[in-house]
Amino acid sequence: MEAAMVSWLEELDRRETAAREEIAELRGQIEELTRRVGQREDALSRLQITRETMTGILSGNETVSVAGAVADAGEAEMEEHRLPSGSPVGVRLVPHWTPEPAVGVLPDSYRDIIEVLQDAVHPMRAHRSGRWRTRC
């Protein structure tokens, strides 16, 4: 068998071409990763803002404006109300899970769900429609 003879210039050209192709591929990967990092940073920022907002709302240290009586100009007057400490109107916190939870600490709607599940003869599964269906 005779070995193929390649000039050193041809070998350099081949290696340069391979290096350029690999660099282009790596730059493409960097662009994709940079795009993905940006998306995740945006999502993280929204989550942090949500946490700060909800912490402020649930701490009861927020002042809320509520539309009051209609003013002479036809615009509603805004009244400032301080939320009470703890859970404000419309928000009910479910306590953290414990090994021996007491059903009585749950809101009524949660207790109703627990009662339905406890009374079921067969295992149950929720569907997207919100209806319950037993599995036999």
Side-chain angles (χ1 to χ4, degrees):
M1 236 202 294
E2 193 175 311
M5 296 288 289
V6 178
S7 75
W8 63 271
L9 286 175
E10 290 172 340
E11 180 60 18
L12 282 176
D13 287 343
R14 186 190 67 74
R15 290 183 183 195
E16 284 177 359
T17 300
R20 283 189 181 94
E21 289 172 357
E22 185 176 7
I23 289 169
E25 182 181 329
L26 291 171
R27 284 194 174 128
Q29 290 175 2
I30 289 170
E31 289 172 8
E32 172 64 16
L33 290 172
T34 301
R35 183 187 64 76
R36 287 176 51 194
V37 165
Q39 289 175 337
R40 298 312 303 155
E41 286 174 338
D42 289 345
L44 176 61
S45 174
R46 289 190 304 273
L47 289 169
Q48 289 171 330
I49 290 168
T50 301
R51 177 182 301 277
E52 291 169 6
T53 302
M54 293 307 298
T55 300
I57 289 170
L58 296 176
S59 71
N61 295 329
E62 294 287 318
T63 299
V64 293
S65 297
V66 179
V70 177
D72 293 338
E75 297 178 11
E77 291 181 9
M78 299 303 285
E79 297 177 23
E80 296 291 319
H81 291 285
R82 194 112 187 114
L83 294 174
S85 293
S87 179
V89 175
V91 177
R92 174 68 190 253
L93 297 178
V94 176
H96 289 288
W97 181 88
T98 60
E100 298 173 13
V103 176
V105 300
L106 296 174
D108 290 337
S109 56
Y110 284 72
R111 281 186 259 168
D112 292 343
I113 293 169
I114 298 294
E115 184 179 330
V116 168
L117 293 172
Q118 288 173 336
D119 292 344
V121 176
H122 300 285
M124 299 184 79
R125 169 174 82 178
H127 288 273
R128 289 180 192 241
S129 65
R131 289 177 274 175
W132 293 89
R133 187 169 99 180
T134 59
R135 295 181 72 192
C136 297

